[in-house]
Amino acid sequence: MFDLTFTIETGNGTTPLTIAIDQAVIAGWTGRDPVARDKHIAELEAIGIARPATTPIYYRCSARRLTQEDSIEVCGGNSSGEVEFVLIGWEGRTFVGLGSDHTDRKVEGYSVTVSKQMCDKPMASTLWELEEVIGHWDRLILRSHAWIGGQRELYQDGTLDAMLPVSELLARGFAGGKLPDGCAMFGGTFAAKGGIRPASRFEFELEDPVLKRTIRHAYDVVELPVMG
Protein backbone atom coordinates (compact mmCIF):
# COMPACT_ATOMS: atom_id res chain seq x y z
CA MET A 1 0.00 0.00 0.00
CA PHE A 2 1.20 3.51 -0.75
CA ASP A 3 -0.28 7.00 -0.92
CA LEU A 4 -1.05 9.08 -4.00
CA THR A 5 -2.34 12.63 -3.65
CA PHE A 6 -4.88 13.86 -6.19
CA THR A 7 -6.84 17.03 -6.86
CA ILE A 8 -10.58 16.36 -6.85
CA GLU A 9 -12.23 18.65 -9.40
CA THR A 10 -15.98 19.18 -8.98
CA GLY A 11 -18.52 21.77 -9.97
CA ASN A 12 -17.83 23.48 -6.65
CA GLY A 13 -14.06 23.80 -7.04
CA THR A 14 -11.02 21.69 -6.23
CA THR A 15 -9.84 19.89 -3.10
CA PRO A 16 -6.79 17.70 -2.41
CA LEU A 17 -7.29 14.06 -1.46
CA THR A 18 -4.68 11.48 -0.50
CA ILE A 19 -5.67 7.90 -1.32
CA ALA A 20 -3.93 4.77 -0.04
CA ILE A 21 -3.64 2.58 -3.15
CA ASP A 22 -3.24 -1.15 -2.54
CA GLN A 23 -4.56 -2.71 -5.77
CA ALA A 24 -4.00 -1.98 -9.45
CA VAL A 25 -6.17 -3.74 -12.02
CA ILE A 26 -5.80 -3.47 -15.80
CA ALA A 27 -9.06 -4.35 -17.54
CA GLY A 28 -8.65 -5.60 -21.08
CA TRP A 29 -10.98 -6.48 -23.94
CA THR A 30 -13.58 -4.01 -22.72
CA GLY A 31 -15.07 -3.07 -26.10
CA ARG A 32 -18.86 -3.26 -26.57
CA ASP A 33 -18.78 -4.65 -30.12
CA PRO A 34 -18.23 -8.44 -29.89
CA VAL A 35 -17.60 -8.83 -33.62
CA ALA A 36 -14.78 -6.27 -33.61
CA ARG A 37 -13.42 -7.80 -30.40
CA ASP A 38 -13.28 -11.34 -31.80
CA LYS A 39 -11.71 -10.12 -35.05
CA HIS A 40 -8.95 -8.37 -33.12
CA ILE A 41 -8.37 -11.45 -30.95
CA ALA A 42 -7.88 -13.51 -34.13
CA GLU A 43 -5.45 -10.92 -35.52
CA LEU A 44 -3.36 -11.07 -32.36
CA GLU A 45 -3.39 -14.87 -32.32
CA ALA A 46 -1.96 -14.78 -35.83
CA ILE A 47 1.11 -12.91 -34.56
CA GLY A 48 1.58 -15.11 -31.50
CA ILE A 49 -0.33 -13.30 -28.74
CA ALA A 50 -2.56 -15.76 -26.89
CA ARG A 51 -6.34 -15.47 -26.77
CA PRO A 52 -7.53 -13.99 -23.44
CA ALA A 53 -9.06 -16.43 -20.97
CA THR A 54 -12.17 -14.24 -20.65
CA THR A 55 -13.56 -11.04 -22.16
CA PRO A 56 -13.31 -8.70 -20.47
CA ILE A 57 -10.27 -9.83 -18.50
CA TYR A 58 -8.83 -8.25 -15.35
CA TYR A 59 -5.05 -8.35 -15.11
CA ARG A 60 -3.31 -7.50 -11.85
CA CYS A 61 -0.09 -5.56 -11.52
CA SER A 62 1.78 -4.07 -8.59
CA ALA A 63 0.10 -0.96 -7.20
CA ARG A 64 3.59 0.50 -6.93
CA ARG A 65 3.69 0.68 -10.72
CA LEU A 66 1.31 3.66 -10.59
CA THR A 67 3.12 6.97 -10.85
CA GLN A 68 2.33 10.65 -11.34
CA GLU A 69 5.83 11.47 -12.59
CA ASP A 70 6.48 13.09 -15.97
CA SER A 71 8.97 10.47 -17.18
CA ILE A 72 9.43 6.72 -16.95
CA GLU A 73 12.34 4.39 -17.69
CA VAL A 74 11.87 1.29 -19.84
CA CYS A 75 14.12 -1.53 -21.03
CA GLY A 76 14.81 -1.18 -24.74
CA GLY A 77 12.56 0.17 -27.45
CA ASN A 78 9.65 -2.28 -27.43
CA SER A 79 7.16 -0.51 -25.17
CA SER A 80 4.32 1.92 -25.82
CA GLY A 81 1.57 3.80 -24.01
CA GLU A 82 -2.21 3.41 -24.09
CA VAL A 83 -4.63 6.07 -22.88
CA GLU A 84 -7.29 4.73 -20.50
CA PHE A 85 -9.82 6.04 -18.04
CA VAL A 86 -9.14 4.95 -14.46
CA LEU A 87 -11.68 4.27 -11.73
CA ILE A 88 -10.57 4.56 -8.10
CA GLY A 89 -12.58 3.49 -5.08
CA TRP A 90 -12.16 5.35 -1.78
CA GLU A 91 -14.33 5.50 1.34
CA GLY A 92 -17.43 4.43 -0.52
CA ARG A 93 -16.94 6.90 -3.38
CA THR A 94 -15.79 6.23 -6.94
CA PHE A 95 -13.54 8.66 -8.78
CA VAL A 96 -12.67 8.91 -12.47
CA GLY A 97 -9.11 9.58 -13.53
CA LEU A 98 -6.72 9.15 -16.43
CA GLY A 99 -3.79 6.83 -16.98
CA SER A 100 -1.54 5.18 -19.53
CA ASP A 101 -1.17 1.42 -19.51
CA HIS A 102 2.42 1.55 -20.73
CA THR A 103 3.28 -2.00 -21.83
CA ASP A 104 6.32 -3.91 -23.06
CA ARG A 105 5.12 -5.32 -26.40
CA LYS A 106 7.90 -7.86 -26.77
CA VAL A 107 7.08 -9.38 -23.41
CA GLU A 108 3.38 -9.24 -24.27
CA GLY A 109 4.08 -11.77 -27.02
CA TYR A 110 4.70 -14.51 -24.46
CA SER A 111 2.72 -13.31 -21.42
CA VAL A 112 0.28 -10.42 -21.22
CA THR A 113 0.23 -10.70 -17.42
CA VAL A 114 4.01 -10.36 -17.18
CA SER A 115 4.00 -7.47 -19.69
CA LYS A 116 1.65 -5.50 -17.42
CA GLN A 117 4.22 -5.68 -14.65
CA MET A 118 7.17 -4.53 -16.79
CA CYS A 119 6.44 -0.80 -17.02
CA ASP A 120 5.28 2.04 -14.80
CA LYS A 121 1.70 3.24 -15.33
CA PRO A 122 1.63 7.07 -15.46
CA MET A 123 -1.49 8.77 -14.10
CA ALA A 124 -2.80 12.33 -14.09
CA SER A 125 -3.16 13.98 -10.69
CA THR A 126 -6.76 15.18 -11.26
CA LEU A 127 -9.87 13.12 -10.48
CA TRP A 128 -13.59 13.66 -11.06
CA GLU A 129 -16.50 12.30 -9.06
CA LEU A 130 -18.08 9.46 -11.05
CA GLU A 131 -21.56 10.66 -10.15
CA GLU A 132 -20.89 13.97 -11.92
CA VAL A 133 -20.16 12.31 -15.28
CA ILE A 134 -22.02 9.00 -15.28
CA GLY A 135 -25.13 10.61 -16.82
CA HIS A 136 -23.19 11.50 -19.98
CA TRP A 137 -20.46 8.85 -19.70
CA ASP A 138 -20.68 7.72 -23.32
CA ARG A 139 -19.82 11.22 -24.53
CA LEU A 140 -16.47 11.39 -22.70
CA ILE A 141 -13.49 11.39 -25.07
CA LEU A 142 -10.16 9.61 -24.66
CA ARG A 143 -7.33 10.93 -26.81
CA SER A 144 -3.56 10.53 -27.02
CA HIS A 145 -0.67 11.95 -29.02
CA ALA A 146 2.72 10.32 -29.44
CA TRP A 147 6.04 11.92 -30.31
CA ILE A 148 7.62 9.66 -32.94
CA GLY A 149 10.73 10.64 -34.87
CA GLY A 150 10.45 14.19 -33.56
CA GLN A 151 6.85 14.59 -34.78
CA ARG A 152 3.68 14.84 -32.66
CA GLU A 153 1.07 12.44 -34.04
CA LEU A 154 -2.53 11.69 -33.09
CA TYR A 155 -2.24 8.17 -31.70
CA GLN A 156 -5.67 7.31 -30.24
CA ASP A 157 -9.07 9.00 -30.26
CA GLY A 158 -12.55 7.78 -29.32
CA THR A 159 -15.63 8.16 -27.13
CA LEU A 160 -16.51 5.87 -24.25
CA ASP A 161 -19.65 4.58 -25.94
CA ALA A 162 -17.29 2.09 -27.63
CA MET A 163 -16.51 0.47 -24.26
CA LEU A 164 -18.56 -1.53 -21.79
CA PRO A 165 -20.57 0.60 -19.35
CA VAL A 166 -19.05 1.21 -15.93
CA SER A 167 -21.72 -0.85 -14.17
CA GLU A 168 -21.00 -3.87 -16.37
CA LEU A 169 -17.22 -3.58 -15.99
CA LEU A 170 -17.54 -3.48 -12.21
CA ALA A 171 -20.17 -6.23 -12.05
CA ARG A 172 -17.98 -8.63 -14.02
CA GLY A 173 -14.77 -7.92 -12.14
CA PHE A 174 -15.63 -7.19 -8.52
CA ALA A 175 -17.80 -8.73 -5.84
CA GLY A 176 -21.10 -6.93 -5.56
CA GLY A 177 -20.22 -4.79 -8.57
CA LYS A 178 -18.39 -2.30 -6.36
CA LEU A 179 -14.80 -1.11 -6.60
CA PRO A 180 -12.97 -1.78 -3.31
CA ASP A 181 -11.40 1.10 -1.41
CA GLY A 182 -7.82 1.66 -2.55
CA CYS A 183 -8.32 -0.11 -5.89
CA ALA A 184 -7.39 1.63 -9.15
CA MET A 185 -8.80 0.01 -12.28
CA PHE A 186 -7.68 0.94 -15.80
CA GLY A 187 -10.71 0.58 -18.04
CA GLY A 188 -9.45 -0.31 -21.51
CA THR A 189 -8.31 1.53 -24.60
CA PHE A 190 -8.77 2.14 -28.33
CA ALA A 191 -6.75 0.89 -31.27
CA ALA A 192 -3.72 2.96 -32.18
CA LYS A 193 -4.01 4.92 -35.40
CA GLY A 194 -1.33 3.56 -37.71
CA GLY A 195 -0.60 0.63 -35.40
CA ILE A 196 1.10 0.15 -32.06
CA ARG A 197 4.59 1.67 -31.98
CA PRO A 198 7.03 3.17 -29.48
CA ALA A 199 7.34 6.90 -28.82
CA SER A 200 9.76 9.18 -27.02
CA ARG A 201 6.90 11.11 -25.38
CA PHE A 202 3.26 10.27 -24.73
CA GLU A 203 0.53 12.88 -24.14
CA PHE A 204 -3.00 11.84 -23.19
CA GLU A 205 -6.30 13.33 -22.06
CA LEU A 206 -9.87 12.67 -20.97
CA GLU A 207 -12.28 15.32 -22.22
CA ASP A 208 -15.77 16.02 -20.87
CA PRO A 209 -17.56 17.99 -23.63
CA VAL A 210 -20.65 18.44 -21.46
CA LEU A 211 -19.04 19.99 -18.37
CA LYS A 212 -16.31 21.61 -20.52
CA ARG A 213 -13.26 20.27 -18.69
CA THR A 214 -10.30 18.03 -19.47
CA ILE A 215 -7.84 15.93 -17.51
CA ARG A 216 -4.37 15.81 -19.08
CA HIS A 217 -1.00 14.25 -18.43
CA ALA A 218 2.21 13.62 -20.39
CA TYR A 219 5.46 11.78 -19.84
CA ASP A 220 8.80 11.20 -21.52
CA VAL A 221 9.99 7.65 -22.19
CA VAL A 222 13.62 7.04 -21.31
CA GLU A 223 15.03 3.88 -22.90
CA LEU A 224 17.57 1.91 -20.86
CA PRO A 225 20.08 -0.21 -22.79
CA VAL A 226 19.54 -3.97 -23.04
CA MET A 227 22.98 -5.42 -22.43
CA GLY A 228 22.46 -9.08 -23.13
Side-chain angles (χ1 to χ4, degrees):
M1 180 182 296
F2 76 112
D3 292 345
L4 282 177
T5 298
F6 296 92
T7 297
I8 309 302
E9 181 182 10
T10 71
N12 298 319
T14 60
T15 56
L17 178 66
T18 298
I19 299 177
I21 304 291
D22 62 5
Q23 295 183 60
V25 177
I26 313 294
W29 303 105
T30 61
R32 291 190 197 182
D33 183 346
V35 175
R37 177 199 64 205
D38 291 345
K39 179 181 178 181
H40 189 44
I41 288 174
E43 290 172 342
L44 291 176
E45 282 187 308
I47 61 173
I49 296 177
R51 173 178 291 267
T54 62
T55 54
I57 190 167
Y58 299 83
Y59 301 102
R60 291 290 301 272
C61 74
S62 170
R64 289 279 182 176
R65 279 301 190 186
L66 304 183
T67 179
Q68 296 172 332
E69 298 297 324
D70 57 10
S71 69
I72 64 171
E73 296 179 326
V74 300
C75 292
N78 297 302
S79 67
S80 61
E82 293 181 342
V83 62
E84 306 199 10
F85 70 86
V86 182
L87 299 178
I88 300 178
W90 187 243
E91 296 183 343
R93 302 156 73 187
T94 303
F95 297 98
V96 180
L98 177 69
S100 172
D101 175 19
H102 202 95
T103 300
D104 188 304
R105 304 302 171 184
K106 187 173 183 179
V107 174
E108 190 175 38
Y110 74 82
S111 173
V112 176
T113 297
V114 175
S115 73
K116 298 302 181 187
Q117 183 63 23
M118 293 296 293
C119 303
D120 289 338
K121 312 296 186 189
M123 289 187 62
S125 60
T126 299
L127 299 177
W128 296 331
E129 294 267 12
L130 176 61
E131 62 185 25
E132 288 195 347
V133 298
I134 195 63
H136 55 276
W137 181 260
D138 285 356
R139 296 178 63 183
L140 301 184
I141 302 165
L142 282 174
R143 185 181 297 113
S144 70
H145 290 83
W147 284 83
I148 300 171
Q151 300 293 319
R152 184 175 184 264
E153 303 179 12
L154 180 64
Y155 191 74
Q156 296 167 285
D157 190 25
T159 51
L160 295 190
D161 60 348
M163 296 182 182
L164 293 174
V166 168
S167 58
E168 188 170 346
L169 271 178
L170 296 182
R172 293 194 188 188
F174 301 91
K178 185 174 178 58
L179 203 61
D181 283 357
C183 179
M185 185 196 76
F186 284 58
T189 194
F190 301 115
K193 296 179 181 297
I196 295 171
R197 52 206 189 279
S200 60
R201 180 173 173 81
F202 197 70
E203 303 172 357
F204 53 111
E205 61 186 45
L206 175 63
E207 179 185 348
D208 182 343
V210 175
L211 298 181
K212 308 297 183 185
R213 59 186 181 179
T214 303
I215 300 174
R216 294 185 175 90
H217 192 59
Y219 61 96
D220 295 320
V221 182
V222 179
E223 291 186 16
L224 303 178
V226 178
M227 303 305 293

